[in-house]
Amino acid sequence: MSSRGLILGIESSCDETAAAVVQRGARTLSSVVASQIATHARYGGVVPELASREHLRAIVPVVRAALSEAHVTLADLDAIAVTSGPGLAGALLVGITYAKALAFAQGLPLIAVNHLEGHIHAVLLEERQKQLAELPPPGRHPERSQAESKACPELVEGDPGFDQTQSAPDTEPALALVVSGGHTHLYLAQPKDSTWHYRLIGRTLDDAAGEAYDKVAKLLGLGYPGGPWIDSLARFGDPKAVPFAFSQIKTKVHLGGDAPRTKAAKTAPIANLDPHFLFSFSGIKTAVLRYVELHGLRGEAHARVTKMLTLARPPQTREDALALCPQQTLDLIASFQHAVVGDLMKKTFAAAESLGATRILITGGVAANRELRARFTAEATRRHIRVAFPTPALSTDNAAMIAAAGWPRFQSGEFATSDLSAEPALALGR
Ligand code: KG4
Ligand code: ZN
């Protein structure tokens, strides 16, 4: 009898404790995320020690909730997949240690997943899920009653799609942009022999795009994380008001071709990368700061910190946006976002063209951004390239993507050994 292909995913690399049960890398039976935003918000960023403590508190209830929502028990699982890096060492260790203990106690194989690979699989998981939805629904299986199949969304052997996820794996390479609070990396993802191979095509030399969102939001007195606030407020400003520019990056002589020292994973020397696909977001943050100082916006940004305490979520109407920020600040926010999205687009499409990629996957927290989605989609249509994003819930950190990325490794028997440990600077691809 073949296994049900149930993988429990566990993610704890940064400030979300997450667990999910995914079947055959294609069907999410549950996805539970406990966010620590409230804990870190008052510090304006993630505090590593607090993150580890919160993960310790949340890991057991979150895993229990994921199993219970999926209507499975530990005994039903086929494997446990856990994020092994990159991320915060203490935070990663909580997930890894718990996953190891569970796997050992249940006699299950343990699969180590790179967080960045997880983000890429968030898109692939949803694409497969969409394909399955187009097939006749599960429950046509003669041995299952209608009621039974309604209660359990899981695929069983004989259901249309059960074998499809095995027999029709993705075959097309994709250019993937992972754009989050820690990364802005371009990869060529290629499926081969039932696993995926990744080649690093480009990366940021300093701040990640999400980091720029968070820092700009902080200096404007907006909430943490900054992305959703800037996303909402940008709609009410003039994106052309402040002409921010990104200049062509030259591989700096002082880096000597070495991997840059950023928060992100260490990678191969940047000298091996085409400078057209290198990003740098620390300059725009400084440019915003200069604009704020030059135009006397410091005071009003400071005053906003108090106003923010009364707001639970970003403004949705122009009236509410103007009650929070003067038009000049809204214009600054819109211009910042317009420039960042423009730079991400320019380099991603240039890389796709140079590699002959016909498919782009955009993932990571910043992929939830509305302007980014709209402009990438329009440009992709113009260029006859397919572009895919995860739904907003799967754009930010979650464990469904970790369980999905674990499935090809499960199929090829790539299991972690008992000495698996956290790798805070784990790189993806060469
Ligand atoms: O992937 P993620 O949850 O965690 C990391 O692996 O970093 O990404 C978090 C980042 C934060 O910097 C946050 O500000 C940004 O994603 N973000 C957004 C949006 N939602 C989250 N950035 C722009 N627009 C958004 N709607
Ligand atoms: Zn992430």
Side-chain angles (χ1 to χ4, degrees):
M1 197 183 116
S2 72
S3 77
R4 292 159 75 185
L6 296 180
I7 297 189
L8 169 69
I10 296 180
E11 152 66 37
S12 69
S13 65
C14 192
D15 59 348
E16 338 265 357
T17 320
V21 179
V22 175
Q23 189 187 19
R24 308 178 87 74
R27 186 168 282 246
T28 308
L29 302 188
S30 67
S31 179
V32 177
V33 180
S35 170
Q36 302 177 5
I37 285 178
T39 305
H40 302 287
R42 70 175 123 140
Y43 304 100
V46 178
V47 183
E49 293 76 10
L50 293 183
S52 310
R53 197 184 69 191
E54 292 298 309
H55 284 306
L56 274 173
R57 278 202 187 130
I59 191 94
V60 175
V62 164
V63 168
R64 277 200 191 132
L67 293 171
S68 132
E69 280 180 27
H71 302 287
V72 300
T73 66
L74 285 171
D76 296 317
L77 299 175
D78 292 287
I80 297 177
V82 65
T83 305
S84 60
L88 302 169
L92 287 163
L93 271 176
V94 176
I96 293 171
T97 311
Y98 190 59
K100 263 198 211 179
L102 276 183
F104 180 76
Q106 290 297 129
L108 290 170
L110 183 67
I111 302 165
V113 173
N114 183 310
H115 181 80
L116 302 174
E117 183 177 21
H119 274 303
I120 294 172
H121 279 262
V123 190
L124 300 172
L125 163 64
E126 292 194 311
E127 281 192 342
R128 285 184 217 119
Q129 213 146 240
K130 230 181 274 161
Q131 283 168 11
L132 286 178
E134 282 156 16
L135 295 169
R140 302 280 162 85
H141 194 243
E143 284 157 35
R144 281 202 305 182
S145 70
Q146 275 306 91
E148 206 186 345
S149 52
K150 257 189 202 143
C152 172
E154 188 191 321
L155 290 170
V156 296
E157 216 171 350
D159 276 336
F162 184 85
D163 284 329
Q164 188 212 335
T165 53
Q166 254 184 335
S167 60
D170 297 278
T171 51
E172 209 184 323
L175 179 69
L177 171 66
V178 181
V179 61
S180 68
H183 297 87
T184 302
H185 283 44
L186 278 168
Y187 296 99
L188 183 65
Q190 287 168 300
K192 198 170 148 220
D193 306 329
S194 90
T195 59
W196 285 78
H197 298 259
Y198 305 92
R199 178 151 72 89
L200 182 72
I201 303 298
R203 58 164 294 167
T204 180
L205 292 179
D206 40 56
D207 291 355
E211 203 174 344
Y213 267 91
D214 296 339
K215 287 178 176 172
V216 164
K218 192 174 180 181
L219 77 89
L220 292 176
L222 296 167
Y224 176 84
W229 290 88
I230 290 183
D231 186 346
S232 287
L233 292 167
R235 288 177 296 157
F236 306 110
D238 173 5
K240 302 275 168 63
V242 188
F244 290 118
F246 285 89
S247 50
Q248 172 59 50
I249 291 177
K250 295 186 185 68
T251 311
K252 288 180 194 143
V253 180
H254 72 263
L255 285 170
D258 289 341
R261 289 170 63 84
T262 67
K263 283 205 311 196
K266 288 196 193 96
T267 58
I270 48 162
N272 298 350
L273 301 173
D274 184 331
H276 291 97
F277 313 143
L278 295 177
F279 299 92
S280 167
F281 292 105
S282 68
I284 193 161
K285 169 201 67 193
T286 315
V288 172
L289 178 63
R290 214 172 292 132
Y291 185 94
V292 165
E293 280 170 356
L294 215 65
H295 293 81
L297 299 174
R298 251 223 182 285
E300 75 93 14
H302 201 68
R304 194 155 31 245
V305 178
T306 326
K307 277 196 220 167
M308 289 290 305
L309 298 174
T310 60
L311 289 180
R313 63 188 197 108
Q316 302 300 314
T317 64
R318 178 174 293 279
E319 205 187 357
D320 288 349
L322 280 168
L324 186 65
C325 302
Q327 190 61 49
Q328 192 180 13
T329 301
L330 294 176
D331 291 346
L332 173 63
I333 289 170
S335 302
F336 161 79
Q337 174 161 290
H338 186 78
V340 170
V341 172
D343 189 59
L344 290 170
M345 282 178 53
K346 184 175 146 201
K347 289 166 185 170
T348 305
F349 282 109
E353 196 173 299
S354 128
L355 296 164
T358 52
R359 179 184 186 208
I360 298 176
L361 314 178
I362 303 178
T363 187
V366 183
N369 187 270
R370 281 170 282 188
E371 180 178 338
L372 179 146
R373 287 175 177 247
R375 287 175 64 194
F376 263 97
T377 304
E379 184 62 18
T381 308
R382 204 180 68 74
R383 291 175 181 248
H384 305 288
I385 292 181
R386 281 181 295 137
V387 67
F389 313 87
T391 52
L394 282 207
S395 296
T396 48
D397 290 350
N398 65 86
M401 67 185 197
I402 303 302
W407 174 245
R409 297 198 187 284
F410 175 78
Q411 284 181 297
S412 56
E414 254 181 85
F415 300 128
T417 52
S418 58
D419 59 356
L420 177 71
S421 192
E423 286 194 68
L426 182 65
L428 180 66
R430 304 272 117 223

